[in-house]
């Protein structure tokens, strides 16, 4: 009996719900201009949503700024943190002479484990 009621319908391909009585939220189009490649990107937001002043360019990944009238919105990057590398964090804990001393200790340890001293040649290393 169930086979007859589903005959002729592709499951999952079409919705059986109608849009009667559905009220869509008001929308607003905003344009962003890329600072790198100059391309415009149109995005749709809810009319009452807070629109971000910057967006990522879909083409090149650079920063795209919201177009306001004839110009673009300004973004304050003064509060942005600069990413620290592992080397930067290491230099916060150790000085260069301490790091050189640690390097020499580790090199001596590795050479001792290999059973060879400073007589290692390029031929032995490449083998």
């Amino acid at each position: 009996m169930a086979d007859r009621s589903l005959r002729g319908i592709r499951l999952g391909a079409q919705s059986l719900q109608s849009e009667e009585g559905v009220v869509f939220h008001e929308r607003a189009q905003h344009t962003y201009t890329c600072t790198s490649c100059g391309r415009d990107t149109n995005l749709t937001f809810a009319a009452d949503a807070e629109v971000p002043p910057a967006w990522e360019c879909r083409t090149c990944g650079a920063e795209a700024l919201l177009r306001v009238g004839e110009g673009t919105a300004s973004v304050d990057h003064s509060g942005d943190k600069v990413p620290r590398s592992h080397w930067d964090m290491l230099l916060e804990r150790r000085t260069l002479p301490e790091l050189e001393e640690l390097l020499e200790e580790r090199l001596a340890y590795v050479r001792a484990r290999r059973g060879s001293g400073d007589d290692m040649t390029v031929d032995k290393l490449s083998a």
Side-chain angles (χ1 to χ4, degrees), residues 64-105:
L65 298 176
L66 176 66
R67 190 183 302 161
V68 180
E70 294 295 318
T72 57
S74 61
V75 179
D76 182 23
H77 291 290
S78 63
D80 293 351
K81 289 185 177 180
V82 177
R84 295 184 309 167
S85 68
H86 178 73
W87 180 249
D88 295 333
M89 291 184 271
L90 188 62
L91 287 178
E92 290 175 2
R93 297 188 309 269
R94 308 262 189 201
T95 62
L96 285 176
E98 288 175 329
L99 291 172
E100 289 173 0
E101 181 181 339
L102 286 172
L103 176 63
E104 288 302 320
E105 288 176 11

Side-chain angles (χ1 to χ4, degrees), residues 35 98 112 124:
T35 56
E98 288 175 329
K124 288 182 181 178

